[in-house]
Each structure stands twice: as structure tokens, then as C-alpha cells.
Amino acid sequence: MTAISLPLFTITHQSKFSLPPVSRLPNKPFSLPSIFYNAAAASRGAKPVRASTSEPASTKSAETIAVENADSEESTLFVIRARNQIGLLQVITRVFKVLGLSIDKASIEFEGEFFIKKFFVTDSHGNKIVDEESLEKIRNALMDAIGDGGDGDVVGSATRGVTVRRPASGLVSGERKAKAERMFALMDGFQKNDPMSLQKDILNHVEYTVARSRFSFDDFEAYQGLSHSVRDRLIERWHDTQLHFKREDPKRVYFLSLEYLMGRSLSNSVINLGIRDEYAEALNELGFELEVLAEQEGDAALGNGGLARLSACQLDSLATLDYPAWGYGLRYQYGLFRQLILDGFQHEQPDYWLNFGNPWEIERVHVTYPVKFYGTVEEELVDGRKSRVWIPAETVEAVAYDNPIPGYGTRNTITLRLWAAKPSDHYDMESYNTGDYINAVVDRQKAETISSVLYPDDRSHQGKELRLKQQYFFVSASTQDIIRRFKDAHDNFDEFPQKVALQLNDTHPSLAIAEIMRVLIDEENLDWDRAWGIVCKIFSFTTHTVLAEGLEKIPVDLLGSLLPRHLEIIYDINFKFMEDLKKKVGLDYSRLSRMSIVEDGAVKSIRSANLSIVCSHTVNGVSKVHFELLKTKVFKDFYELWPEKFQYKTNGVTQRRWIVVSNPSLCDLITKWLGTEAWIRNVDLLTGLREYATDAVLQQEWKMVRRVNKMRLAEYIEVLSGLKVSLDAMFDVQIKRIHEYKRQLLNILGIIHRYDCIKNMNESDRRKVVPRVCIIGGKAAPGYEIAKKIIKLCHAVADKINNNSDIGDLLKLVFIPDYNVSVAELVIPGADLSQHLRSTADGSTVEIIEEIGSENLFLFGAKLDEVPTLRERGPNMKVNLQFARVVRMIRDGYFGFQDYFESLCDTVEADKDFYLLGSDFGSYLEAQAAADKAFVDQDKWTEMSILSAAGSGRFSSDRTIQEYAEKTWGIEACRCPF
């Protein structure tokens, strides 16, 4: 059973994030050491005492805050006694300002190394503060501001993450003290967000970062200045977050993924920072529009398809929900590829996305790690015991590039760290010193190739080797970084599972298991059992596969050549696993063979998925149906052995990108009808729309928003292809990676049938036809010929349909080239209908039905349990006559390219139709007819659309991440204080 559904609308919001008034401040707004007060004594002028866990109270009690309300009828007196610290006066005054208080007058007296500061303060209405709860919260904030931090020379204060940097103790007199005092005073400030300050920052970056005259610069240069200005504010929050994590030392999750489709960063960042309106106003006064400048940004080419976009959504949710997390990946120089369509054929070109720089990344030249390849393994005596020592033959340096990921409605900003490959300085200098300049250049190019292209074509041995090099390079650099961070604060690896959770996003990072074992045994000198016990507690594995045939395998010969020590470790893991398994299942050699990490066959291989399952404490599916597939088919043997390991977390997407960034009009409409913006962080509140789904006013406003979005999409299509489309037509969309199992071919065959029917209708029947604009987009892998032929067929059919004057606006077919996140942000809000056509009730379809009801989707096709039987029947299955007709039209050359499409038609013959296009075709046409009928009744259609949006909360990545945090990773939120 498959679904065609109304799209879950993407919604945008433009708002400011403001601090709560004093009366609403939380009881413990900051996370520095706890402070205990006697409120009654404090109100009489007594001095409260700061608690200490490491020093006698007498050394800390000197820092006090007292409140005196008796001396003045107009204001409240705060008396602060604290050690004299550079820049502290500015910090204290900023605390009052942030809390919405005004300082009427102030005085300062000195008492040895202490000062006594008196501040006469009123609230935002100019009144004296008498509420004891408010006074207590103000005292808390002030005490955190003046208190010692916990991080040496850098201390996080309590005031909106302001950082107070203290000079070294040696700077106590003379010129050095004066210089230090000036430097730290200058650094006390926090970036201002009023339009005037933003304008100044933008212009400064245009002149000093972009090196253009502030009196003459274009849109792209304005975008660069704007981006660096936004990045400055991200970095402030980012530093505060990392200092807070370091101070609190929570358990962190490290998210390992070879792909991230981040989309554009500018719009997402200014919204998450809560300063979108301020930037828009500042730019308008300079003669620019924020939306126009946002279009100057290219998409970061770091991924392909759903897995990559889900990874990006999950990082957004990790930041928004305040979880201590790091993302790790590769900084691809060229990404996947740029898709060009010439005469309907896909051509691939390198995606030079870094040609104009990336203002959102920070190169960490001091964060580099050696990554080693090839060589031999020898046995040596270390501390009286035999040890295996890897002597590599090639070394490459991994250089870190950090990308700040801001949360929404929080100060937390986490890190996506991407690795770029550079030649090792040792070999580089050695070649230059011996005059071997050519080899030096060749070595540099070989090294940099590792992080050049996402998913190199692995049909050749060289391609397979490069892909394996990429995977190991990525996990080696990441695990070295993770272990280094752990060792900065801990010296006992038994604590590793209490501080580290490693998430494997599919099997690409599975070599991290062997790498951690190698480091613990070979470099940290732990024995096997101790290292194994640690490894099995830190890894969790999420698989996205639906077919066992699609699981990744690494040829043993290739792994042994490239990573000889890792192959030994994997063999040892497998031997011990097989021995334990024999004790549980006996000598069932068939089952032992299926579950072995090492596959014997024509090409002896390592099964990456089996390795990941054996060594992980949790194995996750990505939906309820996917979980059932894993249990009953893909990993049936493992589930029967370890049912407690298997879970599922239904994939979700972030409403900040797909609701808050992409569709501003609908966002404002939802906020208006719900009466709150809180749904942006708590998307379950969208269910409140259900009670208004039949409201005539909401329906009219909803229709208007949809029409505006369709207008934007229609303009894009016209600019792209010159084709004008009717806004009254149903915009029918299928956008995703081109693949046989995603069944774009079924969609195209349905379009051919629709065209054939319209062409053979009389004029009166044509007037009853619901007009459609069919939109398809996606890339085919360079070596995937059938997928490329599907793209060509789409264009051949479009040429025939779009140029037929008899058809007119009743049917149009558009292929959108080079589909990416930014294009999706335009297409999805303009869609009336979204098609998801896999060969079963795949993914989250069943759960969508549970949330919005089957009456709000158009379901068709075989159910999951019917698929095996249908595939077995194959040649004996009755052929749908309508299906046979449209396939025959292609075979007979009706759309041209008769010979070229022959092999494509062969894939849907009865005995070869693995994805059941013929079997499902009749049901698919019925679902399309039902969609036509529903679209005619626009009030009913709009009600269905509203209900679809109202039921989308379950499919937020916030819920996905919360479940991972609680059920898999064992991490807790660690909110950075404002």
C-alpha cells in the first residue's frame, strides 16, 4: 500500500526572541555553582553566603549582595561587595539592563582588593522593586555574574552568555596591566542587534572582510558582509555553549554521518537567532532586501537524498532541544555533482560550491589529526606482553572545518565538524627537500582526493578503494577528536560510556568500531575484554535499508591492503562472536553463515551491517513498518538472538526549516489561528488546527496562501523552462532521488495514460478534466543507467505533451533539474499533491494514516504482506491492459528514442517487474481519479490540507531526537544560560 498525499505544508515564521520579564525568570536561570540565601536576612541588609564545595566558606563569603529597601521610597538599593575584576562593572550593569531594570544612580568604594558598588535601581515602569521573588532572582543573576566560573582564564557570566576574560595573574602592574585592562574591557561587550549596529557590522565586513568599498558593492558582496555579520553572532553563542558543555561535562552524543544536506544557512540562522526582523530593517535602510540577498547563497553540496536531509534536520533538533552534541562528516570539495539536462539527458558536472568561499565555516588549522593507510602489522613485546603494531605506509592529515548549528529559542549552538584531507607535512617536506617536486604535487593531489567528491563511482577497484579511504579517513579523524576531548577531562577509560555516545548513521561509519578497538588496545594498552566491554556500550546503529541485497560489503582483499590492522580486529570480533553464537544456536551452519560478519563467497567480504549490529547496544529502524521488515526479513536472525537491541524511531523533519523558513505566509496564518508561536518548538500544538478545519474564514485564508505559493513556483517554472502553467491546475509533485524503487517510472506511465485519455476525448468530456501540472525532480547516480533513462523518458513525454495544442492547460509535465534543498523550499509550499510511490506501504505511511486518517490520503497498491506472493507469481500475473498500452506506446517509439527506451521497458515486463509497476497500475489510476474528484470540491480539499498539517507533529525531528536521547543515547539537555 502506497500513498499519494496532500503535502504537509511548510511554514515560516519571523519573530524576535526576547528574555522574560523579571517576574517570569526561572528559579535557576544559570548553571554556575549554586547560591544559598536567607531571603529575610537579605531584605534587612544582611550579606548572603556563596556555597563552596572545595574551599572553606571564609574564603568565599567576601563576595556578597545585599538589598536595602528602607533608605529610599523611589528605588531599591543593591550593595555588591566583590573582588576587583577587570570589566566587571560593565557586566553588572548589563545584568540590570538585560533584566529590564534602570540604574538611577551608582557609587563605588574600594576596600583593599574588594570594591563595594551601590546601585539604586527601578523596574521598567520606574518603580521600586518590592516583590521578594523578583529580588531573589535578581540577586541570583548578579551573584552568578560576579562569581568565579570554572574554566580557568575564561568564565561564562550570567548575562546573556557574556564572557568575562580575566588576565593572567602575572599582569599586576604598570604598562602590561593597563594593556590587559583595555583588552578585557573591550571584550566584555556582546554584539548588539539594533538595526544601526547591524548596518555598521555589515558595512565593516563588506570593507574589511570582503575588501570592497562600502560605497560600491553588489548583492553578492552584500550577502557576504551580511553572512559574516550573522556568523559573528553565531560564534558568540557557539563559544558560550562549548564553555558551558566543558564546565558541566555532560554525556555527549557524537553523530557520525557521511552526508548532510544543510541547505542555505542565512535564513535559517537569522530566524533561529531571533533577529530576522532586525536584519530585514537594517538592510532595507541600506537599499537591500533580505530575501534577495538570501538567494545569493548556494547550497552546501554535502549530501544526496533523504538520509542527508534527515541528518541536517536532526542536528537542528539537537541544538534546539539543548542536547550536548557534535556532528561529524566530510567537507566535500565538489559534493555529489551538478545536474545538467541537455536534450533531455542527464550530464554531471562538478559542483564547485566552494569556489566563492563558505562564510559559515571556520577552518581550525590547529585541529588536525594524522590518518594512516596501508603498511604492515608486526608483533612486538610491550610491557612484557605481545602486542600487534601497525606500521602504516601512508599518512594523510585531517583538518577540521567547523560549522555552527544554532538552536531556535535557545542560546545553544552546537558544532558540525567536517574534515578535509591534506598531505602530511612530513612527506610533503621530504619530497621538496630532495628536489622531488613532481611527487610532492602528486602526493598532495592524492591526499586531497579523499575529500573531493561525495560517493565516488565504485564500479572500478580504484573507486572502491577511494570510497573505503573516505570512510576510514572520516571515522579516524572523528574518533581521534572524540577521544582527545574525553582525555582532556578524564583519565579512566572505564568512564568512556558515561560520557560518550556514538551514533552510526547507516553503515558508512561502521569502521569506527574497529578503530576505537584499535586505539584502546594498541595505543591505550587496554586488554581485549575491557576494550570490548567499552565499545559495546557506546555505539548505536541506525539502518535505512529496506532490502538485504542493498547492505554494504567491503572486499576483504581491499580492506586487508588498506587497513591491515583493522581487518585483524574484525576477524577477532567475528571469531569470538561465532564461538558465542554456537553456544546459543548450536551447529546451525546456515544460520551461522548468515550472521557471520565475514561473508565467504566468490568475493570474500566484510558485512558492515552485521559488524554494526554485533557491536552496538541498540539497532534502530526509521519507521514502524521498517522496524517490522528488520525483525522479520532483513535482520531476522539477529532479532531472534537479541530482540532487546531492536527499536524504531520514526524519521522526522525540522519544522524550523520546513515550516519556519520556507513558507512565511502560512506560518503567520497558523500562529494567528493557534494564538501562539509556541508550536515552533512544540509542533504537537498544530493539532489545535483541527477544530478550525471547516471554518470558512480559515479555509479562505488557507487557499490564498496556497495560491501565492503556487504563483511563486509557476514563475520559477517559467524562468527555468519558458513554460507557462495555470494556477488553477493541481500542482502534482514527486521530488526525490531517481531510483527504480522510488517508482518515478510509475508516475510517468500514469501521466502517459492521462495524456492518452485526454487526447482521445471529445470536447465536452475535456471540459470535465481536472487540469494538472506534474512536477518531477531528482538526480540519478552517474553509473545508474536505468535511472538516467527514466529522466530522459520524462523529458521525451514532456516534449510531446507540452507542445500539443489540443491538450493545452489540461496537462503539463515539468522536470526540475539540479534538485536540492533550496529548490525544495520553493516547490513543496507550492504543491497541491505529493506523491510517494514505493512498492509497499513504506516508511511512515502507516503512521501518517494513524495521525491524519486514511480519508485524507489517496492510498493504492499492494500491502506489505502481499508483495512476496505477487513477485513469485511474476509471469503468471494478469497484465493490466491500460499498463500494457502505455508501455507499448514507448516501445513503438511514440515518444521517440525507440531503441534507447527498450531496456527500460524490459524492466517492467511481467517476469522482471520487481517493483510491481504493472501490478499496482490499475489501483494507482483509481487513486489518481479519487484525487481529481476531491480537488473539484475546493472546500473539502482545503479541509483535507488543514487536517494534514494538523497531524504532522508526530513527524518532527524534535520528537525523533527526544526518543533517541531518552531510549538510545542516555543523554540529557544541557541548556546554555542566557
Side-chain angles (χ1 to χ4, degrees), residues 200-379:
K200 183 178 179 181
D201 286 353
I202 293 168
L203 293 175
N204 280 344
H205 277 297
V206 166
E207 183 134 352
Y208 302 120
T209 306
V210 185
R212 295 291 293 173
S213 168
R214 65 179 65 198
F215 302 108
S216 177
F217 56 97
D218 60 21
D219 283 350
F220 181 69
E221 290 153 354
Y223 156 72
Q224 290 179 305
L226 170 61
S227 298
H228 281 94
S229 170
V230 176
R231 192 185 78 164
D232 290 345
R233 286 150 180 81
L234 286 175
I235 287 173
E236 287 180 328
R237 295 181 176 222
W238 185 31
H239 285 162
D240 292 345
T241 303
Q242 299 311 314
L243 285 170
H244 183 63
F245 288 170
K246 186 174 182 180
R247 184 185 307 119
E248 295 298 314
D249 192 26
K251 183 177 183 179
R252 294 175 170 94
V253 63
Y254 296 99
F255 192 87
L256 304 181
S257 177
L258 266 183
E259 294 187 57
Y260 297 92
L261 270 177
M262 303 304 296
R264 292 169 174 162
S265 294
L266 176 57
S267 297
N268 193 69
S269 294
V270 295
I271 287 174
N272 279 13
L273 289 171
I275 50 177
R276 191 242 179 240
D277 292 345
E278 289 85 343
Y279 266 112
E281 181 182 344
L283 288 166
N284 283 338
E285 292 176 3
L286 292 175
F288 294 94
E289 293 183 27
L290 178 59
E291 290 76 11
V292 172
L293 298 191
E295 291 295 320
Q296 300 296 315
E297 182 178 357
D299 279 37
L302 298 169
N304 170 47
L307 180 145
R309 184 55 228 167
L310 290 168
S311 299
C313 288
Q314 289 170 346
L315 288 185
D316 177 89
S317 292
L318 283 165
T320 297
L321 299 177
D322 303 315
Y323 287 118
W326 282 69
Y328 284 102
L330 284 184
R331 181 183 181 266
Y332 301 104
Q333 188 174 356
Y334 302 115
L336 184 64
F337 60 84
R338 184 164 171 256
Q339 183 190 50
L340 294 181
I341 304 296
L342 299 175
D343 297 325
F345 293 95
Q346 172 181 294
H347 294 264
E348 302 89 30
Q349 285 192 349
D351 187 348
Y352 299 103
W353 74 283
L354 287 171
N355 266 15
F356 298 102
N358 178 14
W360 305 103
E361 69 180 9
I362 296 95
E363 183 180 8
R364 300 295 200 188
V365 292
H366 61 287
V367 182
T368 66
Y369 297 99
V371 179
K372 301 165 185 177
F373 300 103
Y374 306 110
T376 59
V377 181
E378 298 180 359
E379 193 171 90

Side-chain angles (χ1 to χ4, degrees), residues 449-507:
T449 298
I450 293 174
S451 57
S452 287
V453 182
L454 169 65
Y455 292 149
D457 190 343
D458 62 354
R459 286 176 292 179
S460 66
H461 175 80
Q462 291 85 352
K464 287 183 172 66
E465 183 180 63
L466 180 55
R467 184 173 290 199
L468 183 58
K469 266 191 166 183
Q470 275 190 346
Q471 292 180 1
Y472 178 66
F473 173 82
F474 155 54
V475 301
S476 175
S478 301
T479 54
Q480 288 182 74
D481 198 44
I482 292 164
I483 290 171
R484 185 270 308 162
R485 189 172 298 109
F486 172 79
K487 291 174 70 174
D488 282 348
H490 305 274
D491 56 10
N492 182 357
F493 270 98
D494 291 332
E495 298 173 5
F496 203 55
Q498 282 75 56
K499 295 298 177 182
V500 171
L502 280 163
Q503 171 64 34
L504 304 177
N505 193 28
D506 223 344
T507 56

Side-chain angles (χ1 to χ4, degrees), residues 109-148:
E109 300 173 3
F110 287 92
E111 185 181 287
E113 64 176 313
F114 294 89
F115 60 70
I116 299 173
K117 302 186 182 185
K118 295 183 179 180
F119 296 89
F120 291 85
V121 177
T122 58
D123 64 17
S124 57
H125 301 291
N127 300 323
K128 184 177 180 177
I129 305 163
V130 294
D131 177 62
E132 188 57 42
E133 184 179 353
S134 295
L135 290 171
E136 182 74 7
K137 290 169 183 175
I138 296 169
R139 279 195 296 264
N140 282 344
L142 289 168
M143 184 58 86
D144 272 344
I146 69 173
D148 293 336

Side-chain angles (χ1 to χ4, degrees), residues 752 755-756 759-760 796-797 800-801 804 885-898 901:
I752 294 173
Y755 164 75
D756 189 43
K759 189 167 61 68
N760 290 297
V797 173
K800 181 70 74 173
I801 292 173
N804 190 319
R885 175 173 172 79
V886 295
V887 173
R888 175 54 56 190
M889 289 174 70
I890 301 170
R891 280 196 184 278
D892 289 348
Y894 186 87
F895 301 100
F897 304 93
Q898 183 174 0
F901 291 135

